[in-house]
């Protein structure tokens, strides 16, 4: 093969890769799962594979179906329609700078989306957010000490406005999340451990009302291949026992 032929072959391979990656990226864009950042080699193609539901053998799927039927109503979670004001915090730091920090202390939420190719995928929404908004001296107009009451009132207005802003940001996240959700939106997350030497790393299985199971260990860790760690990979008896234990815990 000549150098010219080798270069042309490499160019064609790169073009084919770009089209493939672009195809997956556009699928994710349609359901709000593309942030536009440059993630490097085959990010969206890999994400496509990692966010798919598990294809379980019939006897394993039957256990999942039964689990859904027996799971108590109180155990099911769902992304709320409205951001929770009680989870929004904002205050001045007790330091020399007097920085204003706003936080929304929400947990990670999950849902399903259906791509235009017909495939189902799990989607996560990180509801925790934190922003440093600036120094007291920059955000609050300096007043003479005789007007300290007015200055304190202004500082409180700035703090309240920042708290409202972080709350609105959380609401925008929820609205965007709900826009693309598929199905009931109800799910349960069940923990399991992945051994790592002297400690165990906790991962989760996510089961939706539609009787679909996802391995979040695979979704959360790009290099994770699952192996025998996930409970549905340890044999039918082990999987049944694990589901039974989780079901009992949810029922208490």
């Amino acid at each position: 093969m000549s150098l010219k032929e080798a270069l042309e072959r490499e160019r064609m391979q790169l073009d084919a890769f770009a089209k493939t990656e672009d195809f997956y990226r556009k699928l994710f864009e349609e359901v709000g799962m593309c942030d536009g950042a440059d993630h490097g080699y085959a990010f969206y193609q890999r994400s496509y594979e990692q966010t798919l539901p598990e294809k379980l053998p019939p006897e394993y799927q039957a256990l999942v179906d039964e689990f859904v039927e027996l799971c108590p109503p109180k155990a099911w979670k769902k992304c709320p329609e409205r951001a929770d004001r009680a989870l929004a915090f904002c205050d001045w730091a007790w330091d020399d700078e007097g920085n204003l920090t706003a936080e929304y202390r929400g947990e990670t939420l999950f849902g399903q989306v259906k791509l235009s190719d017909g495939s189902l995928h799990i989607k996560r929404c990180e509801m925790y957010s934190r922003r440093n908004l600036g120094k007291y001296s920059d955000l609050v107009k300096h007043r003479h000490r005789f007007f300290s009451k007015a200055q304190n009132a202004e500082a409180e207005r700035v703090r309240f406005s920042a708290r409202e802003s972080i709350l609105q940001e959380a609401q925008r996240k929820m609205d965007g999340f709900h826009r693309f959700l598929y199905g009931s939106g109800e799910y349960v997350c069940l923990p399991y451990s992945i051994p790592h030497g002297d400690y165990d790393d906790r991962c989760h299985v996510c089961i939706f009302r539609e009787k679909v199971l996802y391995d979040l260990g695979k979704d959360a860790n790009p290099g994770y291949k699952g192996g025998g760690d996930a409970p549905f990979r340890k044999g039918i008896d082990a999987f049944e026992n694990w589901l039974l234990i989780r079901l009992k815990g949810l029922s208490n």
Side-chain angles (χ1 to χ4, degrees):
M1 181 184 298
S2 68
L3 288 175
K4 183 177 180 180
E5 290 172 333
L7 288 171
E8 179 64 18
R9 180 179 177 181
E10 184 175 340
R11 185 192 65 79
M12 292 176 66
Q13 290 175 340
L14 289 173
D15 287 347
F17 159 74
K19 290 177 182 178
T20 301
E21 182 69 354
D22 189 56
F23 168 76
Y24 289 110
R25 179 182 60 80
K26 288 180 178 178
L27 284 178
F28 282 126
E29 279 181 342
E30 294 170 1
V31 293
M33 290 176 68
C34 177
D35 59 15
D38 182 9
H39 294 285
Y41 179 75
F43 174 82
Y44 291 107
Q45 185 174 358
R46 187 173 67 244
S47 295
Y48 183 95
E49 296 165 356
Q50 289 172 336
T51 57
L52 285 167
E54 296 299 325
K55 294 181 179 178
L56 301 173
E59 62 272 23
Y60 287 70
Q61 185 61 52
L63 289 175
V64 172
D65 295 352
E66 190 174 8
F67 175 90
V68 170
E69 296 298 330
L70 296 174
C71 189
K74 66 179 182 179
W76 295 100
K77 298 180 65 174
K78 187 177 182 179
C79 177
E81 296 287 340
R82 305 298 300 173
D84 188 347
R85 185 172 293 274
L87 298 177
F89 299 86
C90 185
D91 217 337
W92 304 97
W94 293 98
D95 55 30
D96 293 337
E97 298 291 340
N99 287 304
L100 183 64
T101 302
E103 287 183 275
Y104 187 83
R105 301 175 186 173
E107 61 182 326
T108 301
L109 302 172
F110 296 95
Q112 290 187 106
V113 293
K114 193 170 188 177
L115 304 188
S116 57
D117 66 351
S119 60
L120 283 180
H121 295 258
I122 192 167
K123 179 178 181 178
R124 65 173 63 220
C125 181
E126 303 288 351
M127 288 306 301
Y128 176 82
S129 57
R130 185 176 189 274
R131 285 190 289 153
N132 292 319
L133 302 172
K135 301 178 183 178
Y136 182 95
S137 57
D138 295 331
L139 297 171
V140 179
K141 184 179 179 181
H142 178 68
R143 298 176 184 269
H144 192 271
R145 63 187 178 88
F146 294 113
F147 299 97
S148 60
K149 185 175 180 180
Q151 184 167 318
N152 290 340
E154 185 177 348
E156 180 59 22
R157 284 195 298 271
V158 171
R159 189 190 69 82
F160 179 81
S161 176
R163 183 167 177 259
E164 291 300 303
S165 177
I166 201 78
L167 190 65
Q168 290 169 12
E169 180 182 308
Q171 187 61 55
R172 286 192 294 271
K173 282 185 180 180
M174 282 188 180
D175 291 343
F177 191 63
H178 274 286
R179 180 183 173 190
F180 301 108
L181 288 188
Y182 170 84
S184 68
E186 293 183 280
Y187 66 92
V188 290
C189 277
L190 310 174
Y192 69 93
S193 297
I194 299 176
H196 285 284
D198 296 331
Y199 69 96
D200 287 347
D201 189 15
R202 288 173 68 82
C203 287
H204 291 81
V205 158
C206 200
I207 299 177
F208 284 84
R209 276 275 198 188
E210 289 74 23
K211 301 176 179 177
V212 181
L213 180 148
Y214 295 86
D215 180 7
L216 293 177
K218 181 176 65 175
D219 171 42
N221 303 290
Y224 172 61
K225 302 299 182 183
D229 294 317
F232 54 88
R233 296 190 177 97
K234 293 184 175 181
I236 187 70
D237 291 338
F239 186 43
E240 181 178 23
N241 186 58
W242 180 81
L243 284 175
L244 180 60
I245 292 171
R246 299 304 170 199
L247 192 59
K248 288 179 180 178
L250 293 172
S251 300
N252 292 334

